[in-house]
Every structure is written in structure tokens, then in C-alpha cells.
Amino acid sequence: MKINVQKSILEIVQGDITQQETEAIGNAANAALAGGGGVDGAIHRTGGPTLMAELKAKYKGCPTGSAVITGGGNLKAKYVIHAVGPRYSGSPKDPELLSSAYRKSLELCTQNKISSIAFPSISTGIYGYPVEEASRIALKTVMDYLKEHPEIKMVRFVLFDSNTLKVYQEALTELTNAF
Ligand code: AR6
């Protein structure tokens, strides 16, 4: 599924983020930037040890709701943007922190002249954020950013499993109908 937001493209596909050829890929990291399971584990395995070496050398962790950037090592993408989403708690801060993780990632794209990025579904695996809610927040945040930032030409959500894909498709349909 693909839509235009002004002159930019917002796309939703099923797949493996480590195989994306966008300029950057997003990672669902933790605040310690310590690596882990899920998509984080997959990105570090495919990208190789230079990712962790760069994280350790440049950053002392990353607050929840923010993001940091490294090179892509052996990945096809030139950069990885390590975003830290919230662990779902049911608190009113959860949506704000999730939205901020995407927005800060997009700001890093703008600052680094990156015009295409693929995101995983941040926080909806190990961190337990319900996909129905998280998908709306993710898509709305990206759409709002693209409206103001034509320098980002393409944002692709790469969803690992068919259920997550379906939920994102439904959320995007709802959001576009609401325009
Ligand atoms: N490509 C795309 N999506 C993937 C891939 C992949 N290769 N592998 C998994 N996913 P999660 P979180 C999906 O748990 O909830 C780590 O330990 C997965 O199916 O990776 O933000 C970190 O270090 C799910 O839909 O991230 C943190 O400690 C989505 O990616 C913690 O987990 C996110 O699931 C972060 O948890």
C-alpha cells in the first residue's frame, strides 16, 4: 500500500528491514543502546560489529522518545537510526514518547540529508505496545512530518508479520479517509 503525502511517498510493506535499500533504516533500540533481541538483534547481526562500536564511541545511551544515528556497516542502508520507543505501560506518556521516537528519527534524516527511510513497528514487539494504537501514532507522526518536510522523499514501514501489516493498512486507510 502506497500513498502520497504532498510530494512524498508513504509506503507500507511486509518484509525484513535488514534487506531494505533505503538510505536509512530505523531500529527499535533500548535506552542503553545495548543491543538486544527482535529487530535490534537482527540489525546488529546483519550490520556487523561496527554499529555497536560506533554507538559505544559516540553515545552514552539515548532517552526514551529520542534517536541516534550510526553508519550502516554491512547493511544495504548507509545509515541506521536507532530510535527508543516506550515500553508500553498504559500511561498517557506512552503515545507522546512513541510519536517522539519517530519524529526525532525523521529530524535526524533532515539534519543528515537522508531522503528515504524504512521503519519497523517500534515498541510493538518486546515492548508490548498494542499495534492498533501504535500504528495510528506511527503513521500520523510520519504524515504530519512529511507535510512540512518535502526533503524526505520516501518513508516505508516494513512490517515483519502479516497481522501487523494488516493493522497498519487499516490504520492508514482510516487516516487517509479522515483527511
Ligand atoms: N524486520 C522488520 N521488523 C522486524 C524484524 C525485522 N527483521 N524483526 C522483528 N521485527 P521488537 P520493541 C518486528 O521487539 O517492541 C529489543 O531487545 C517485530 O515483529 O524488535 O520496540 C531492543 O533492544 C515487531 O513487530 O522492538 C529493546 O530492548 C517490531 O519489529 C526492545 O527489544 C518491533 O519489535 C525493543 O522492543
Side-chain angles (χ1 to χ4, degrees):
M1 186 171 179
K2 201 192 253 194
I3 67 155
N4 282 84
V5 181
Q6 316 286 28
K7 287 188 175 163
S8 307
I9 290 168
L10 172 56
E11 208 178 5
I12 296 180
V13 302
Q14 188 173 357
D16 180 349
I17 198 127
T18 65
Q19 300 308 311
Q20 300 302 306
E21 292 178 356
T22 42
E23 267 180 88
I25 61 171
N27 183 15
N30 53 64
L33 300 174
V39 71
D40 196 8
I43 287 173
H44 280 282
R45 271 194 306 279
T46 311
T50 58
L51 271 66
M52 188 51 77
E54 193 177 342
L55 284 174
K56 287 219 159 82
K58 287 195 181 151
Y59 309 105
K60 289 196 174 68
C62 172
T64 302
S66 194
V68 300
I69 185 167
T70 67
N74 301 326
L75 290 158
K76 294 172 185 167
K78 196 169 168 203
Y79 300 98
V80 178
I81 296 185
H82 306 261
V84 183
R87 195 183 285 276
Y88 186 72
S89 67
S91 139
K93 288 220 169 102
D94 292 343
E96 202 181 295
L97 289 168
L98 184 61
S99 177
S100 170
Y102 284 105
R103 197 170 49 251
K104 291 274 164 68
S105 298
L106 292 164
E107 284 169 9
L108 280 174
C109 289
T110 297
Q111 286 159 21
N112 290 279
K113 301 199 182 326
I114 293 165
S115 64
S116 63
I117 179 164
F119 280 115
S121 178
I122 297 171
S123 285
T124 66
I126 292 162
Y127 278 0
Y129 213 121
V131 187
E132 284 74 13
E133 224 185 291
S135 56
R136 287 193 192 100
I137 294 163
L139 291 165
K140 173 92 170 56
T141 304
V142 168
M143 285 164 82
D144 286 348
Y145 194 86
L146 290 179
K147 282 180 204 160
E148 307 290 329
H149 292 274
E151 73 276 10
I152 314 280
K153 305 273 181 250
M154 200 265 281
V155 176
R156 176 185 294 153
F157 281 89
V158 179
L159 291 333
F160 209 42
D161 61 280
S162 55
N163 182 59
T164 305
L165 173 73
K166 183 169 156 269
V167 175
Y168 269 73
Q169 284 172 338
E170 286 166 1
L172 185 58
T173 305
E174 256 178 48
L175 281 168
T176 46
N177 287 344
F179 260 130

